[in-house]
Amino acid sequence: MNVLVINCGSSSIKYQVVDTEASSALVKGKIERLNGAESYDQALKDITDAVSGYRIDAIGHRVVHGGDHFSMPQLIDNAMLAMIESCVPLAPLHNPANLTGINAARKILTGVPHVAVFDTAFHSRMPRRALTYAIDAELADSLKIRRYGFHGISHAYVAQKAAEYLGSATNQLRLVTCHLGNGASACAVEFGTSTETSMGMTPLEGLVMGTRCGDIDPAAVLKLVREKGYSTEEVEHLLNRQSGLLGLSGISKDLRDIEAKAAEGNERARLSIAVFSHRVRKYIGAYAATMGGIDAVVLTGGIGENSVLMRRRILQRLEFLGLMLDHDRNNDCRVSHEQPVAEICADHSRVRALVVATDEELMIARQTETVINAQSVFAERKVIPIAVHPCHVHLSRETFEQLFGKDAGLTKAEETFQPGQYVCRERVNLIGPRDRIDGVSVVGPLRERDQIEITRDEEFRLGVDAPVRPSGQVDGSAPITVEGPLGRVHLSEGLICARRHIHMSNEEAEHLGIHSGDEVEVAITGGSRDLVFRQVLVRISPDYRLEMHIDIDEASSAGLPIDPDGTYCRFGGGENIKAEILRHSYRTY
Ligand code: ADP
């Protein structure tokens, strides 16, 4: 597919025709010094002329702020444009230009689908504890003051590239990705999901940037207003355009100029480099803590890809985390479109350090292609039985023996629909810092690792922060104490909220054109409250039988008639209740 990618800034438009099969640009360019809607109309005409020699199958527009409306890229129509418009107050410096570009392009490039790809979307699954600011909750709610995060297109792309390089998948890894360009942000990519990022309600928060200040005490802003009489616009200008590396150094926003001056002994230039790198190091450490460990740190953007000095300053003294920088590899590191990934850590470094050349246009093109392809996937409605899982535990042999004794064995109480999986008579109690849950079922057979699955509601009851994870991914998950007839075992990890998912056999998946790890949108009807679930993970294995797994919270949200005592139940037969796959939830991340 050939996708025309349009990236509209406040005074310029970058464009590129990307051949998604070859992952390469057929033509690209930039039109600068734009001012007013008419100049954008003219610029789009010029772009149309410049790309007229190529077949264009779709157009992908970058949109900076999707607010809380968009967790995925989306086909543009008038209704969704109105939603982008509603995000303008959140991003007055960015969204108006994006909208002007989209409107101009839709006037000229008719008959081709247009897709919006959002910088915020990758972060849309951040847990509430990460996206909430500690201010008056009602005020925050009414003004939509919360953390959204940006640079998502780049973070998602480099995380994917890093995973490919490591011979793994993003949903098997905990990464800290650092996009360090004129704008800069760090992101905790926890098993494929962004769970923390340094930019907040706007791209102003977090790391030091070319001209933006990043983290600052809000009281400093008040001081400027009070003592200098600054207007809103003046403060906005100061913090967005006159701060960061430029404000610190008084030399330039370009790190190359600052590095040159620092080498000559310029004190402000040296301090700028120290403040910038210190801030990035601080976030890497913080995200290692929030994720309960990391597998790799990924650096990208003009600074991450090119500055040997900054990479060394950022990655120094991280040995305690298991990351050993290799200075020769760092000095020799070059990345490019052809060689997009380089490793700069020592062979024995447990945590890898990678430099990845980002390619946001390619990512926008790929996501656009995914949206277009997803339109037609599920012409056939597939009805899926639903299993509702209450809180339950999978135990390792070691834990089981400590709780029930060396000679004990599991006793089957009830087969589940998945071959070989059964609910046992054995029960355990879960003891959290706040409260306990008694009589929790053990699900057999015994596994390699302990895994305790609770709902969001139970997470609050126990008083723990359990991550939402696909089953099987317990590294760095929450600790919990489990009690059995022989006493208590404290597990340092294993507690998760399981992601809703569908079990599917290989034949069924092939028939529907779904791949393992895809996400689909599923409608549940026939309960007292019909509900569409997005982000339903599909898990495929020859041993699986078609079934959707949700927890008690999710079942009660859909108004399913579940047992109030919360036992395992299933809807798959004669009742009206059914789940149907509507379409792919565009697996873009
Ligand atoms: P944007 O966020 O606008 O896409 P880039 O990713 O192009 O920005 O990054 C621009 C930054 O990268 C500038 O601060 C520039 O100084 C820095 N940079 C580019 N090349 C080098 C280099 N060789 N050494 C140090 N810094 C560099």
Side-chain angles (χ1 to χ4, degrees), residues 179-183 245 253-256 259 301-303 306-307:
H179 179 107
L180 312 173
N182 278 319
L245 289 174
K253 66 171 185 174
D254 194 312
L255 180 64
R256 280 166 291 203
E259 287 190 4
I303 294 172
N306 297 299
S307 174

Side-chain angles (χ1 to χ4, degrees), residues 40-58:
Y40 279 81
D41 284 347
Q42 185 55 46
L44 256 302
K45 285 199 184 99
D46 295 344
I47 292 173
T48 315
D49 290 342
V51 304
S52 61
Y54 301 92
R55 190 194 74 235
I56 305 289
D57 301 305

Side-chain angles (χ1 to χ4, degrees), residues 242-257:
Q242 297 290 318
S243 301
L245 289 174
L246 174 65
L248 268 170
S249 68
I251 297 165
S252 163
K253 66 171 185 174
D254 194 312
L255 180 64
R256 280 166 291 203
D257 302 334

Side-chain angles (χ1 to χ4, degrees), residues 13 32 41 47 166 181 382 431 512:
I13 305 183
E32 294 182 277
D41 284 347
I47 292 173
L166 295 170
K382 183 81 186 166
I431 296 159
L512 289 169

Side-chain angles (χ1 to χ4, degrees), residues 289-361:
T290 61
M291 291 192 286
I294 50 174
D295 300 300
V297 174
V298 182
L299 303 180
T300 190
I303 294 172
E305 291 169 36
N306 297 299
S307 174
V308 172
L309 169 75
M310 204 55 101
R311 288 196 302 253
R312 187 177 71 236
R313 299 288 296 250
I314 291 168
L315 298 177
Q316 64 181 329
R317 289 171 44 228
L318 291 179
E319 288 80 7
F320 75 97
L321 266 182
L323 191 154
M324 321 277 177
L325 183 67
D326 182 310
H327 291 283
D328 291 337
R329 285 181 182 165
N330 183 37
N331 292 338
D332 299 340
C333 166
R334 303 273 175 282
V335 289
S336 62
H337 187 74
E338 288 70 36
Q339 278 289 351
V341 186
E343 189 158 358
I344 55 170
C345 55
D347 287 335
H348 61 282
S349 184
R350 187 171 50 74
V351 172
R352 322 304 299 168
L354 303 176
V355 177
V356 178
T358 194
D359 192 340
E360 292 169 284
E361 281 74 20

